[in-house]
Amino acid sequence: MSHTHHLAQINLARMIAPLDDPRMTEFVAQLGPINALADRSPGFVWRLQSETGSATDVRVFDDPRVLVNMSVWESIESLHAYVFKSTHAGVMRDRNRWFEKYDGPYYALWWIERGHIPTVTEGLERVRMLAERGPSADSFWFGAVHAAPGDPPNRALVP
């Protein structure tokens, strides 16, 4: 774990239908519990949310079916544990039931200085960088993790 940096993540998803469509009911029912799980997970720092406590009403594209989600974590290990080893893993497993296949990278990870809260614009730029250049120290994914600035480059990053 870096003493000077946190890990930011953004993910994008295009829903198969609007949130109030019956096909999205099961996904919508999980939002509160999954967000609460993130909030109390070890290593959690921050997540994008509106006054409703969710990011589902944050719109950044003309297409109202595209959702954006962002969060900040103390380490790659803490985010990995939440995404793949908690109840959230079921949402990941079933995501094709609620979301269309995304054209290009649909998420990006990057290191930020502790205390910095990333903007959606910053996150979208990291997705663009990943799409244009592939994984780098500036924007990467779980399959190609880069060490935080100042950390040894050969440190095992994901369990």
Side-chain angles (χ1 to χ4, degrees), residues 79-89 92 95 107 142 158:
L79 175 60
H80 188 271
Y82 167 72
V83 171
F84 298 110
K85 296 182 178 180
S86 74
T87 306
H88 182 273
M92 294 292 293
R95 68 182 177 263
Y107 80 97
F142 282 113
V158 178

Side-chain angles (χ1 to χ4, degrees), residues 11-146:
N11 64 73
L12 306 167
R14 186 166 192 272
M15 299 179 288
I16 61 168
L19 282 170
D20 59 357
D21 186 285
R23 294 174 287 174
M24 298 300 294
T25 301
E26 190 178 349
F27 171 75
V28 171
Q30 296 180 66
L31 285 171
I34 290 298
N35 285 337
L37 174 64
D39 292 348
R40 68 178 183 269
S41 290
F44 172 81
V45 175
W46 170 88
R47 68 180 167 87
L48 177 67
Q49 58 185 303
S50 70
E51 297 78 32
T52 66
S54 175
T56 57
D57 51 355
V58 175
R59 295 287 179 259
V60 295
F61 295 102
D62 291 336
D63 184 344
R65 289 194 294 156
V66 176
L67 298 181
V68 62
N69 184 6
M70 292 181 65
S71 57
V72 174
W73 297 80
E74 289 181 356
S75 67
I76 189 78
E77 295 87 355
S78 58
L79 175 60
H80 188 271
Y82 167 72
V83 171
F84 298 110
K85 296 182 178 180
S86 74
T87 306
H88 182 273
V91 176
M92 294 292 293
R93 181 192 63 236
D94 295 338
R95 68 182 177 263
N96 291 337
R97 295 172 52 197
W98 309 298
F99 299 102
E100 296 177 359
K101 183 170 175 19
Y102 208 80
D103 185 28
Y106 64 92
Y107 80 97
L109 310 173
W110 71 101
W111 296 106
I112 59 174
E113 289 188 15
R114 284 173 155 307
H116 174 68
I117 299 299
T119 65
V120 173
T121 301
E122 181 182 345
L124 294 174
E125 174 66 12
R126 300 302 173 135
V127 172
R128 184 193 64 74
M129 291 166 63
L130 195 54
E132 290 179 359
R133 300 189 297 223
S136 70
D138 295 323
S139 184
F140 51 91
W141 49 53
F142 282 113
V145 174
H146 286 258

Side-chain angles (χ1 to χ4, degrees), residues 1-7 110-113 137-138 140 146-153 155 157:
M1 174 171 55
S2 172
H3 296 290
T4 60
H5 288 78
H6 281 155
L7 183 75
W110 71 101
W111 296 106
I112 59 174
E113 289 188 15
D138 295 323
F140 51 91
H146 286 258
D151 280 1
R155 180 174 80 84
L157 294 170

